[in-house]
């Protein structure tokens, strides 16, 4: 390969279809990240409530889950969840007399990353719920609200300003962690980039272009989350 | 916020008591015993005999990566944080951009850009190929160490920016009033106080660094994860090697937490696992 100046790099990206393949990869990455973040949020809310008001066994089981996820590398976790998940689903399918399925695609990526995100979400939301003044929840109980209604109307909206910084950070992590799925082959941005780079031998150009895409996604996310935070904390004193 | 902090502190204290007095760790202990028995009886571990020298070598590489890149990254993080607070614009802007770029892109991509990208550019320059460094530059480990060091420097640089900024101005004014020179003030007042503020994040950041090390396996560096991947490919055992290294990583995370708790002299460090 000849060291190509900027014009040559742009030609590489625009012709040959690699540029558009990378955009498709980016869309796939963002879809997986969004799904994983959402799943993580659901696990996080359930996990935080379990940690705060569950029984001893629930609490300890959740402690085990968050501790393990937060000290084992994501790459290892992704492999374990992926293989175990595939074995579990195929085991169930075989037991039901169905044919095995190829456990692949965006759903698998979402589940695998969602389980990892869930552990971090649990801690963020748990901390945020603890920051809600106790009196607000007591007042809701005094009004005769059921615990579900109090959760929906008081606890969750009131904890949101405290949770937002942590959650926006988690969203950034979700986006970057989708790159790890390249190791398993999900056709997301990093894997497509590696294919493009390997085929054209223009490693620097393609990895650099992919870096710019990730960076742009991060910066736009930062902008949005700053707005969201400003909106969520309106009317409260800024520290 | 103070009530929230109180609540956390109370909870942490209650947590410590629960851990040692009640049957607090019962569920994890029972789970560990059951799982350990299952692993010992139902899983195959005979491959350990063949692979343990390689595993030890990989473990050594992982430890070396964490220790070296965290220390170097830390040394870089201090000036990166400092110039963003007091530096002239031509230093502050690049430092800021460095943090944004590194923190905004996946580490895996950075490693590949360094190893495959730079690695494919270097041979085109005869003066690099002819230099004495070329035999080293052709290997993978310099890129692994460089990538991880830069990553740590960027994340921790951001922390140090906040830490330097957070030292009360009165402290620096008092140092000036005592007639301290800029350097003396930095050494005696500013740096120690900023360091104290950054300390709680260091354990967590170092655990994140540990968790980032398996990525170097994708650029052919042999760490403990790559040995597990090799065992998986050669013996067709999926779970055994992954479970073994998971246990190793958890143990290493515990060691890191303990070391930093010792260093900061504050006993149990609850922030160790928080991700920044």
């Amino acid at each position: 390969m000849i060291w190509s100046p900027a014009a040559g790099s742009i030609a590489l990206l625009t012709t040959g279809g690699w540029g558009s393949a990378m955009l498709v990869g980016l869309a796939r990455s963002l879809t997986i990240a969004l799904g994983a973040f959402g799943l993580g949020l659901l696990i996080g809310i359930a996990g935080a409530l379990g940690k705060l008001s569950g029984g001893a066994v629930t609490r300890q089981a959740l402690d085990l889950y968050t501790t393990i996820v937060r000290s084992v590398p994501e790459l290892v976790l992704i492999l374990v969840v992926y293989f175990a998940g595939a074995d579990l689903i195929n085991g169930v399918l075989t037991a039901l007399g169905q044919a095995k399925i190829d456990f692949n695609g965006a759903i698998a990526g979402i589940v695998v990353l969602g389980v990892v995100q869930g552990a971090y979400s649990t801690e963020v939301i748990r901390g945020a719920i603890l920051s809600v003044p106790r009196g607000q929840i007591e007042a809701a109980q005094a009004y005769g609200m059921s615990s579900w209604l109090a959760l929906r109307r008081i606890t969750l909206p009131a904890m949101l300003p405290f949770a937002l910084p942590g959650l926006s950070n988690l969203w950034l992590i979700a986006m970057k962690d989708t790159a790890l799925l390249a190791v398993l082959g999900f056709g997301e941005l990093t894997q497509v980039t590696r294919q493009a780079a390997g085929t054209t031998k223009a490693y620097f150009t393609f990895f650099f272009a992919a870096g710019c895409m990730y960076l742009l996604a991060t910066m736009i996310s930062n902008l949005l989350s700053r707005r969201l935070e400003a909106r969520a904390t309106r009317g409260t004193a800024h520290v | 916020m103070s009530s929230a902090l109180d609540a956390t502190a109370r909870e942490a204290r209650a947590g410590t008591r629960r851990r040692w007095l009640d049957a607090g760790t019962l569920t994890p202990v029972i789970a560990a015993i059951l799982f350990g028995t299952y692993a010992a009886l139902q899983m195959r571990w005979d491959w350990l005999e063949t692979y343990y020298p390689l595993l030890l070598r990989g473990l050594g590489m992982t430890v070396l990566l964490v220790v070296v890149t965290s220390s170097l990254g830390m040394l870089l993080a201090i000036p990166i944080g400092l110039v963003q607070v007091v530096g002239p614009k031509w230093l502050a802007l690049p430092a800021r951009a460095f943090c944004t770029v590194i923190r905004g892109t996946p580490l895996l991509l950075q490693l590949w850009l360094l190893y495959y990208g730079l690695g494919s550019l270097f041979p085109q320059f005869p003066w690099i190929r002819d230099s004495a460094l070329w035999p080293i530059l052709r290997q993978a480990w310099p890129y692994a160490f460089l990538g991880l060091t830069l990553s740590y420097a960027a994340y921790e640089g951001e922390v140090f920016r906040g830490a330097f900024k957070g030292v009360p101005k009165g402290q620096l004014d008092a140092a000036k009033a005592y007639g301290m020179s800029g350097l003396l003030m930095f050494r005696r007042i500013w740096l120690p106080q900023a360091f104290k503020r950054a300390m709680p994040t260091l354990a967590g950041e170092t655990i994140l660094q540990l968790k980032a090390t398996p990525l170097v396996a994708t650029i052919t560096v042999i760490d403990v994860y790559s040995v597990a991947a090799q065992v998986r490919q050669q013996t067709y055992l999926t779970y055994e090697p992954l479970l073994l290294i998971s246990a190793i990583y958890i143990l290493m995370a515990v060691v890191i937490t303990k070391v930093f708790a010792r260093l900061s002299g504050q006993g149990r460090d609850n922030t160790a696992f928080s991700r920044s």
Side-chain angles (χ1 to χ4, degrees), chain A residues 1 3 60 69-74 76 79 83-84 87 120 126 169 173 176 179-180 190 207 211 214 218, chain B residues 11 24 27 103-106 108-109 112-113 116 121 124 155 211 214-215 225 232 238-239 246 249 253 275-276:
Chain A
M1 190 203 87
W3 158 249
Q60 290 159 23
V69 168
R70 286 183 303 161
S71 46
V72 176
E74 276 77 12
V76 177
L79 289 177
F83 290 129
D87 277 359
Y120 289 97
R126 192 188 68 102
N169 197 15
I173 292 170
K176 287 185 282 176
L180 299 178
T190 301
F207 287 135
Y214 280 112
T218 304
Chain B
E11 209 207 23
T27 315
R103 283 158 31 102
T105 53
L108 185 67
L109 195 76
W112 287 359
L113 180 73
Y116 296 110
L121 291 184
Q124 294 158 29
Y155 283 95
K211 292 174 63 178
L215 295 181
Y225 166 80
R232 186 157 55 87
T238 311
Y239 297 110
S246 299
Y249 281 115
R275 193 164 190 181
S276 61

Side-chain angles (χ1 to χ4, degrees), chain A residues 162-203:
Chain A
F162 300 107
L164 269 180
L167 290 182
S168 50
N169 197 15
L170 275 181
W171 160 246
L172 296 182
I173 292 170
M175 268 197 307
K176 287 185 282 176
D177 275 359
T178 56
L180 299 178
L181 297 175
V183 175
L184 287 171
F186 280 98
E188 47 63 64
L189 181 54
T190 301
Q191 199 208 355
V192 173
T193 309
R194 185 164 63 166
Q195 284 169 353
T199 313
T200 58
K201 301 286 174 222
Y203 290 99

Side-chain angles (χ1 to χ4, degrees), chain B residues 18-45:
Chain B
R18 201 171 63 215
R19 208 169 306 269
W20 297 117
L21 289 184
D22 305 12
T25 44
L26 211 56
T27 315
V29 166
I30 290 175
I33 291 174
L34 283 179
F35 193 73
T37 321
Y38 172 79
L41 295 178
Q42 293 291 318
M43 291 180 154
R44 277 186 48 202
W45 298 99

Side-chain angles (χ1 to χ4, degrees), chain B residues 127-143:
Chain B
W127 60 271
I128 293 180
R129 268 172 92 164
D130 298 336
S131 75
L133 279 175
W134 182 235
I136 295 173
L137 286 178
R138 279 177 58 191
Q139 290 170 342
W141 63 265
Y143 303 95

Side-chain angles (χ1 to χ4, degrees), chain B residues 8-153:
Chain B
T8 326
R10 232 180 298 127
E11 209 207 23
R13 241 175 289 136
T16 329
R17 219 177 302 132
R18 201 171 63 215
R19 208 169 306 269
W20 297 117
L21 289 184
D22 305 12
T25 44
L26 211 56
T27 315
V29 166
I30 290 175
I33 291 174
L34 283 179
F35 193 73
T37 321
Y38 172 79
L41 295 178
Q42 293 291 318
M43 291 180 154
R44 277 186 48 202
W45 298 99
D46 49 324
W47 49 272
L48 270 175
E49 226 173 309
T50 336
Y51 286 98
Y52 89 89
L54 205 57
L55 267 171
L56 282 182
R57 212 188 113 198
L59 190 61
M61 187 51 151
T62 299
V63 172
L64 195 69
L65 271 167
V66 172
V67 172
V68 171
T69 62
S70 300
S71 318
L72 289 180
M74 174 83 177
L75 287 180
L76 269 176
I78 293 171
I80 286 173
L82 188 66
V83 296
Q84 289 183 63
V85 180
V86 286
K89 248 202 169 108
W90 58 272
L91 271 177
L93 277 180
R96 178 118 208 86
F98 171 77
C99 288
T100 310
V101 169
I102 299 282
R103 283 158 31 102
T105 53
L107 178 57
L108 185 67
L109 195 76
Q110 293 163 22
L111 284 173
W112 287 359
L113 180 73
L114 287 174
Y115 179 62
Y116 296 110
L118 281 185
S120 71
L121 291 184
F122 279 160
Q124 294 158 29
F125 301 103
W127 60 271
I128 293 180
R129 268 172 92 164
D130 298 336
S131 75
L133 279 175
W134 182 235
I136 295 173
L137 286 178
R138 279 177 58 191
Q139 290 170 342
W141 63 265
Y143 303 95
F145 277 88
L146 179 65
L148 284 175
T149 302
L150 293 182
S151 166
Y152 195 90

